[in-house]
Amino acid sequence: MGTPDFAVESLKALVEAGKEIVGVVTMPDKPAGRGHKIQFSPVKEYALSTGLRLLQPENLKSPDFLEELRSLRADLQIVVAFRMLPEAVWSMPRLGTFNLHASLLPQYRGAAPINWAVINGEHETGVTTFFLKHEIDTGNIIMQEKTPIADDDTAGSLHDRLMLLGSRLVLRTVNMIESGNVITTPQPQAEVKPAPKIFKETCRMDFSRTCGELRNFVRGLAPYPAAWTEWEDSDGNSLIMKIFEVTCEPCHHDCQHGTHKTDGKSYLKIAVRDGYIHLTDIQMAGKRRMKTEELLRGRKFDTLHILQ
């Protein structure tokens, strides 16, 4: 059971290992883009390419879906980046249902563990497999695998690394369950850092924070959904800018947070609590992503100020 690319890698690992996949459950098709063209989920694309049986329920509690799921007679269900399951679904297989989560549980329970680990400046994260129970992301741990977070990692690079690490952990977990030697561990009682869903307003830059905090914030949202800020020109026009990369210039200054400085050719920097952050990779609304030097060749920033 899964939807995005992150889930495809685990499904692929199971298929290539010769496991019997009796069914794949993914989200219903939905229109996307300006043309509202129907778009298949990455998991559906892979399932169709390999001839796997596909289920796309609108309602996970629907009697018709539950009957179809029951008819598959699955021994085990595996969840990777999918929706919250009702008990009627996760309790169905004789060997249970386990989930792959992109953090070292109990830390970063929630919808966006990869983003928040980078935003919070963590130096280590990983993947966890655990059996589902009523409370989300709280079930007994089956296996974990750690990986360092490098100083230049973004949410995107970490996502790709955890996707591969997770696919291998899923296969190892299935092999352990299959052997009948699975041993689980209750999640430790600890002060837990959450990983709530990220919304547009979550991604707005707050220039009253420090250089390091803002650099981590940008890395943790790159390349998607991306940090952003709002500018206003001398005519009162509001301009949205996405920010994909920054560098830090720690120093003392007397500028108001959010004040920008530029030489009009090579740099655009913003005053923050303990110095400046240099915007190096940005995208104006309606334009393509580009390096700051390229943007400055076509646009002047001497009359803009940041709205906070």
Side-chain angles (χ1 to χ4, degrees):
M1 300 180 175
T3 296
D5 287 315
F6 194 89
V8 172
E9 201 65 34
S10 292
L11 177 57
K12 183 180 177 183
L14 294 168
V15 169
E16 292 181 351
K19 303 301 181 185
E20 184 183 2
I21 311 297
V22 295
V24 174
V25 183
T26 193
M27 66 180 291
D29 303 333
K30 62 178 182 179
R34 293 180 180 178
H36 298 287
K37 184 179 179 181
I38 295 297
Q39 180 176 314
F40 295 167
S41 76
V43 164
K44 179 175 179 176
E45 294 277 9
Y46 180 79
L48 291 174
S49 74
T50 49
L52 295 171
R53 183 170 175 178
L54 192 66
L55 287 72
Q56 295 183 269
E58 292 279 355
N59 181 356
L60 295 175
K61 295 182 180 179
S62 159
D64 289 342
F65 166 65
L66 292 175
E67 183 56 37
E68 186 176 12
L69 189 64
R70 196 173 291 111
S71 73
L72 298 179
R73 299 174 62 84
D75 297 300
L76 177 69
Q77 289 175 164
I78 302 162
V79 181
V80 184
F82 194 53
R83 295 147 61 185
M84 186 173 176
L85 301 181
E87 184 176 0
V89 172
W90 58 256
S91 64
M92 191 178 294
R94 67 180 184 87
L95 296 176
T97 300
F98 79 81
N99 184 80
L100 172 70
H101 189 74
S103 80
L104 297 173
L105 291 173
Q107 297 304 327
Y108 296 106
R109 294 171 179 157
I114 298 174
N115 303 92
W116 286 107
V118 180
I119 289 170
N120 289 341
E122 302 289 356
H123 299 293
E124 183 180 68
T125 187
V127 284
T128 302
T129 52
F130 67 96
F131 281 116
L132 265 63
K133 57 184 278 189
H134 285 286
E135 296 79 13
I136 191 165
D137 295 338
T138 62
N140 284 6
I141 292 170
I142 307 169
M143 304 182 82
Q144 288 188 322
E145 190 75 34
K146 297 179 180 181
T147 187
I149 301 177
D151 187 58
D152 59 352
D153 264 326
T154 63
S157 64
L158 187 57
H159 168 281
D160 293 349
R161 193 157 72 252
L162 291 175
M163 179 173 66
L164 294 172
L165 197 65
S167 69
R168 294 194 289 268
L169 193 68
V170 163
L171 184 56
R172 286 169 52 204
T173 300
V174 169
N175 287 337
M176 178 185 285
I177 294 171
E178 199 172 24
S179 72
N181 295 322
V182 63
I183 299 173
T184 65
T185 307
Q187 292 190 30
Q189 298 295 316
E191 185 175 343
V192 174
K193 298 175 184 177
K197 186 175 180 179
I198 290 175
F199 298 95
K200 180 181 178 182
E201 198 56 35
T202 313
C203 304
R204 187 172 188 143
M205 298 281 282
D206 175 3
F207 295 106
S208 67
R209 300 171 72 181
T210 67
C211 288
E213 288 171 340
L214 286 166
R215 181 173 178 272
N216 289 339
F217 185 76
V218 170
R219 291 194 303 129
L221 296 170
Y224 180 83
W228 61 275
T229 191
E230 186 176 8
W231 304 71
E232 187 179 89
D233 64 17
S234 57
D235 296 323
N237 298 313
S238 174
L239 305 168
I240 299 295
M241 177 191 288
K242 289 185 176 180
I243 303 167
F244 298 95
E245 185 179 297
V246 299
T247 59
C248 295
E249 181 190 340
C251 66
H252 295 289
H253 62 72
D254 297 321
C255 297
Q256 182 179 350
H257 301 153
T259 303
H260 79 280
K261 291 188 176 184
T262 180
D263 62 356
K265 293 182 287 187
S266 62
Y267 72 84
L268 175 61
K269 63 182 184 179
I270 312 294
V272 300
R273 187 192 304 172
D274 61 348
Y276 295 92
I277 56 166
H278 290 247
L279 311 187
T280 59
D281 191 344
I282 51 186
Q283 181 180 15
M284 298 299 292
K287 305 294 183 181
R288 63 181 176 83
R289 180 176 167 178
M290 63 184 74
K291 295 298 182 182
T292 300
E293 297 92 327
E294 184 181 2
L295 181 70
L296 290 173
R297 286 198 291 269
R299 177 183 286 274
K300 294 189 179 298
F301 283 85
D302 53 344
T303 59
L304 296 176
H305 70 274
I306 291 173
L307 300 175
Q308 294 201 72

